[in-house]
Amino acid sequence: MRILQQVGADEAFGDLKAFKFGKVTEQDHVLAAAVGGFTTGMSPLEMTSAYTVFSNKGLFLKPRAISKVTGFNGEVLYKWKDEPVQVWNPSTAEKVRRLLQKTVTSGTARKVAGAGQGAGGKTGTTNDFRDFWFIGFNGPLTAGVWVGKDKPESMENINHQSPHLLIWSDIVKNRPGRVSARFHWVYYF
């Protein structure tokens, strides 16, 4: 909150424009945003895609569920032509990456430390334990996990199990191509 106050909400939100968060408005340009106080907020997919810049030297690339289509013999039939965009200075992205790694090595995400030496991310839990989430990276892979109920209610009884961290760790240890597509649809969406 102090950093947002020093930088100024409008300046800070200017750094987020490249991510094209669909529901962030001028009303959100307040100090409460530093602790999640948004009118509507962002989707898990929007947040996860934004986190890719931390392990990608500040480059942002729009996420795609299918990166390419190949034929039976491996020839590429279709591939997106999206180009990465430099949205953050590489040195800034590196500083944030190192901070997010501390969350895994000595912070609230220690349960995912076995996912890899370069793993980093951010945990979150809403009031009354209605939502658990973790967005993080391990090498080139960035994944986000949200655990909650359709009709929000407390999940305090499973808080100690950290289901969001266990699911995330499972995803990054079993990268796409090594497990069934069904597994990924269950965890990603």
Side-chain angles (χ1 to χ4, degrees), residues 47-57 88 92-105 109 112-123 134-145 165 168-169 171-173 175:
M47 286 296 293
T48 303
S49 66
Y51 270 61
T52 62
V53 302
F54 304 130
S55 61
N56 202 21
K57 299 181 179 156
W88 279 24
T92 302
E94 174 62 18
K95 288 173 188 170
V96 176
R97 186 186 67 77
R98 285 196 310 257
L99 287 171
L100 293 171
Q101 285 177 312
K102 288 182 185 279
T103 304
V104 170
T105 59
V112 302
Q117 193 172 20
K122 174 75 179 87
T123 62
F134 182 72
I135 300 173
F137 50 83
N138 186 23
L141 180 66
T142 301
V145 173
L165 298 176
W168 185 88
S169 184
I171 290 169
V172 299
K173 286 180 182 177
R175 292 184 178 197

Side-chain angles (χ1 to χ4, degrees), residues 7 10 12 19 29 37-38 65 67 77 88 119 167 172 183:
V7 171
D10 289 333
F19 300 115
H29 294 207
F38 289 90
S67 59
L77 301 175
W88 279 24
I167 293 167
V172 299
F183 172 89

Side-chain angles (χ1 to χ4, degrees), residues 24 45 96 99 108 128 146 170:
V24 174
L45 179 59
V96 176
L99 287 171
T108 55
D128 301 324
W146 169 82
D170 205 20

